[in-house]
Tab-separated table of all heavy atoms in Angstrom:
chain	number	residue	atom	x	y	z
A	276	ALA	N	1.050	25.633	-1.546
A	276	ALA	CA	0.153	24.541	-1.901
A	276	ALA	C	0.523	23.947	-3.261
A	276	ALA	O	0.556	22.727	-3.438
A	276	ALA	CB	-1.293	25.023	-1.910
A	282	ALA	N	4.957	18.152	-5.746
A	282	ALA	CA	5.852	17.151	-5.178
A	282	ALA	C	5.165	15.807	-4.933
A	282	ALA	O	5.828	14.803	-4.675
A	282	ALA	CB	6.445	17.658	-3.871
A	284	ALA	N	1.996	15.593	-2.878
A	284	ALA	CA	1.221	15.563	-1.632
A	284	ALA	C	-0.213	15.092	-1.909
A	284	ALA	O	-0.834	15.476	-2.892
A	284	ALA	CB	1.179	16.944	-1.011
A	291	ALA	N	-4.766	26.780	11.806
A	291	ALA	CA	-5.437	27.964	12.353
A	291	ALA	C	-4.743	28.369	13.658
A	291	ALA	O	-3.709	27.832	14.021
A	291	ALA	CB	-6.915	27.683	12.566
A	293	MET	N	-3.261	28.712	17.158
A	293	MET	CA	-2.821	27.694	18.120
A	293	MET	C	-2.178	28.381	19.329
A	293	MET	O	-1.658	29.487	19.197
A	293	MET	CB	-1.786	26.745	17.479
A	293	MET	CG	-2.325	25.920	16.340
A	293	MET	SD	-3.340	24.567	16.938
A	293	MET	CE	-4.361	24.284	15.490
A	304	CYS	N	-7.266	33.168	4.881
A	304	CYS	CA	-6.255	32.550	4.047
A	304	CYS	C	-6.501	31.035	3.918
A	304	CYS	O	-6.339	30.460	2.825
A	304	CYS	CB	-4.874	32.815	4.618
A	304	CYS	SG	-3.506	32.301	3.555
A	316	VAL	N	-6.831	16.172	-3.993
A	316	VAL	CA	-6.010	16.574	-2.826
A	316	VAL	C	-6.943	17.050	-1.707
A	316	VAL	O	-7.838	17.868	-1.933
A	316	VAL	CB	-5.030	17.687	-3.200
A	316	VAL	CG1	-4.222	18.125	-1.976
A	316	VAL	CG2	-4.090	17.208	-4.312
A	318	THR	N	-7.871	18.866	1.948
A	318	THR	CA	-7.463	20.013	2.763
A	318	THR	C	-7.886	19.782	4.199
A	318	THR	O	-9.051	19.516	4.478
A	318	THR	CB	-8.097	21.311	2.238
A	318	THR	OG1	-9.515	21.157	2.090
A	318	THR	CG2	-7.475	21.699	0.890
A	325	THR	N	-12.470	23.329	20.995
A	325	THR	CA	-12.669	22.147	21.848
A	325	THR	C	-14.124	21.700	21.990
A	325	THR	O	-14.377	20.721	22.693
A	325	THR	CB	-12.099	22.430	23.258
A	325	THR	OG1	-12.770	23.566	23.814
A	325	THR	CG2	-10.580	22.694	23.216
A	356	LEU	N	-20.033	16.514	16.814
A	356	LEU	CA	-19.557	17.091	15.556
A	356	LEU	C	-19.958	16.220	14.366
A	356	LEU	O	-20.337	16.733	13.311
A	356	LEU	CB	-18.033	17.245	15.610
A	356	LEU	CG	-17.371	17.839	14.371
A	356	LEU	CD1	-17.841	19.278	14.155
A	356	LEU	CD2	-15.867	17.778	14.481
A	398	GLY	N	-0.823	18.881	27.888
A	398	GLY	CA	-0.935	19.266	29.295
A	398	GLY	C	0.119	20.218	29.761
A	398	GLY	O	0.157	20.579	30.950
A	399	ALA	N	1.002	20.686	28.870
A	399	ALA	CA	2.061	21.624	29.267
A	399	ALA	C	1.459	22.973	29.654
A	399	ALA	O	0.336	23.296	29.243
A	399	ALA	CB	3.052	21.788	28.110
A	415	VAL	N	5.372	2.680	20.539
A	415	VAL	CA	3.981	2.927	20.953
A	415	VAL	C	3.121	3.179	19.718
A	415	VAL	O	2.005	2.661	19.605
A	415	VAL	CB	3.910	4.104	21.936
A	415	VAL	CG1	2.441	4.422	22.271
A	415	VAL	CG2	4.675	3.806	23.216
A	439	MET	N	12.361	6.326	6.556
A	439	MET	CA	12.378	4.912	6.175
A	439	MET	C	12.225	4.043	7.408
A	439	MET	O	11.459	3.075	7.415
A	439	MET	CB	13.646	4.583	5.394
A	439	MET	CG	13.722	5.335	4.062
A	439	MET	SD	15.175	4.906	3.071
A	439	MET	CE	14.653	3.341	2.373
A	441	ALA	N	10.925	4.971	10.263
A	441	ALA	CA	9.585	5.201	10.793
A	441	ALA	C	8.558	4.351	10.094
A	441	ALA	O	7.694	3.707	10.725
A	441	ALA	CB	9.226	6.686	10.683
A	455	ARG	N	10.385	19.782	9.375
A	455	ARG	CA	11.611	19.154	8.826
A	455	ARG	C	11.678	19.243	7.289
A	455	ARG	O	12.666	18.814	6.699
A	455	ARG	CB	11.701	17.700	9.256
A	455	ARG	CG	11.870	17.482	10.757
A	455	ARG	CD	13.268	17.824	11.233
A	455	ARG	NE	13.471	17.448	12.634
A	455	ARG	CZ	13.983	16.285	13.011
A	455	ARG	NH1	14.334	15.378	12.140
A	455	ARG	NH2	14.114	16.012	14.321
A	479	ALA	N	8.313	0.696	-1.978
A	479	ALA	CA	8.662	-0.349	-2.946
A	479	ALA	C	9.291	-1.546	-2.245
A	479	ALA	O	8.989	-2.701	-2.553
A	479	ALA	CB	9.582	0.216	-4.009
A	483	ALA	N	7.810	-5.343	-1.991
A	483	ALA	CA	8.579	-6.480	-2.474
A	483	ALA	C	8.719	-7.547	-1.390
A	483	ALA	O	8.739	-8.759	-1.698
A	483	ALA	CB	9.950	-6.036	-2.954
A	485	GLY	N	6.532	-8.180	0.759
A	485	GLY	CA	5.227	-8.790	1.006
A	485	GLY	C	4.683	-8.424	2.355
A	485	GLY	O	3.827	-9.116	2.878
Side-chain angles (χ1 to χ4, degrees):
M293 295 285 155
C304 188
V316 178
T318 51
T325 59
L356 180 64
V415 175
M439 296 183 78
R455 296 286 188 93

